[in-house]
Amino acid sequence: MIMRLPEGVEWALHCSWLLAQARHGDALTARRLAEFYGLPEAYLAKLLKALVRAGLLSATSGPRGGFRLARPPGAITVADVVEAVEGPGALFRCTEIRQRGPVPLTGVASRKPCGIAEVMHRAERAWRKELAATTIADLVETSGVGAVTRVNSWLSALSSGAHEG
Amino acid sequence: MIMRLPEGVEWALHCSWLLAQARHGDALTARRLAEFYGLPEAYLAKLLKALVRAGLLSATSGPRGGFRLARPPGAITVADVVEAVEGPGALFRCTEIRQRGPVPLTGVASRKPCGIAEVMHRAERAWRKELAATTIADLVETSGVGAVTRVNSWLSALSSGAHEG
C-alpha cells in the first residue's frame, strides 16, 4: 500500500533546474535532457509536454527547437512543478465513508466537514507551502560548484556541436 | 500520473476513531467495522492487521474478540495511523539521477545532499508534523454531536445483541 510521488516529479524538477542554466535562451530537446540524466526519452517527452501545458515550459520546433523555461526561474516554484506533474488534486481524497453503513451521517452533521479530512488537508497545505517557498532559481543558487560546472561544460559542448551542425 | 494516498488511510483513521469510542474496552470485529462504514471486509481485515503490526491496535480471538486500540486514543496520532498504512518510507524518493548520464556528479559533490531532495523532504517533514499534531482523541473530541450519537446508539445495539447471544 506504499504511496510515493511519481518519479516524474524528480525528473521534472531536475530538468527545470537544467533548463534554468541554459545560456542565451537556448532550447534543449527531450533527447538531450534524457541523455543528460540517463532517462527514457519517450516517457520524459510526455512529462515535458505536461510542463508545457502547465505553462512552465515553452516548446519550439525546428533544428534549434526544444524546451525552454516559459518564465524566469525565480517565478517558478517547486510546488508549480510538482503540481504540473501530479495534477491539481489532493493527496488525500475523502470518500465520505461516514455517510455509508447502517447509521450514516446525514443532514446538517454530514455537511460539517469531516474532522479527519480537515487534518489531512491541513497537513497537505503545510506540504505545498514548503514546496512553494523554493523556486527553481533558488535550487540553482544553492547547487554546489561541482554541479554547476559539469552542467556548463556539457551545455558549452552542445553549443559548439550546434554551431558545427 | 496523479498520486493519491491509498484509501486505506481514510479507512484506518475512521476505524481508529470508532474504536476510540467503544465502551468498557469492547472489541469490534473486522466484520462490524466493515459494516459500519460499508467497506469490503476482507480488504479492511488486512488493513487492521497492518495497524496491529504497527502497535496501534491489539487483536483478540474468541466470541467477544476483535480489535481494540492498543494505546489510549490520546497517545495515537494521525501520523501514526498514516505511517502504519502507507509504510515508513518517504513520499518522495530520490533516485539520484544527477549521478547518471554523460557528466555524472561524482566524488565530494555527489555526497552533498541533492538540493531538490532536500526541499521535497523538508516539505514532507512539515506534512508529517501537522499529522502528528492531532491525536485520535482530538478527532473524537471535535466530532459533531450527531456523529457521536449515531456511534453510541450503534455500539449500544451491538452490546445488547452480544448479551442476547
Side-chain angles (χ1 to χ4, degrees), chain B:
Chain B
M1 289 195 214
I2 289 177
M3 175 206 64
R4 293 210 192 283
L5 287 164
E7 55 193 351
V9 167
E10 182 188 19
W11 301 2
L13 287 167
H14 278 276
C15 287
S16 301
W17 175 86
L18 184 56
L19 289 169
Q21 294 172 77
R23 283 164 299 183
H24 320 299
D26 282 357
L28 287 173
T29 60
R31 189 163 68 85
R32 288 300 187 191
L33 288 164
E35 180 193 344
F36 187 81
Y37 289 116
L39 300 174
E41 183 185 335
Y43 186 12
L44 183 65
K46 276 191 192 175
L47 185 68
L48 295 168
K49 280 175 195 158
L51 298 181
V52 171
R53 280 195 300 276
L56 304 183
L57 302 186
S58 63
T60 50
S61 51
R64 299 190 67 98
F67 297 91
R68 292 176 176 84
L69 293 187
R71 305 202 294 254
I76 299 177
T77 71
V78 172
D80 293 332
V81 178
V82 171
E83 184 171 321
V85 176
E86 63 129 21
L91 300 186
F92 177 79
R93 197 165 68 94
C94 173
T95 64
E96 286 288 343
I97 62 172
R98 62 188 186 149
Q99 294 188 40
R100 300 191 209 160
V103 282
L105 204 61
T106 55
V108 175
S110 68
R111 287 196 294 276
K112 179 178 182 280
C114 174
I116 288 170
E118 283 187 314
V119 172
M120 296 304 293
H121 292 146
R122 188 161 62 235
E124 208 162 314
R125 282 193 297 275
W127 180 69
R128 289 191 195 275
K129 191 179 163 190
E130 275 294 338
L131 297 180
T134 300
T135 67
I136 301 303
D138 295 330
L139 290 177
V140 174
E141 183 59 34
T142 55
S143 305
V145 173
V148 169
T149 304
R150 77 176 180 129
V151 164
N152 286 339
S153 62
W154 182 74
L155 288 171
S156 301
L158 274 196
S159 297
S160 317
H163 285 297
E164 288 160 15

Side-chain angles (χ1 to χ4, degrees), chain A residues 123-143:
Chain A
E124 207 163 315
R125 282 193 297 275
W127 180 69
R128 289 190 196 276
K129 191 178 164 192
E130 275 295 336
L131 297 180
T134 300
T135 66
I136 302 303
D138 295 330
L139 291 176
V140 173
E141 183 60 34
T142 55
S143 305

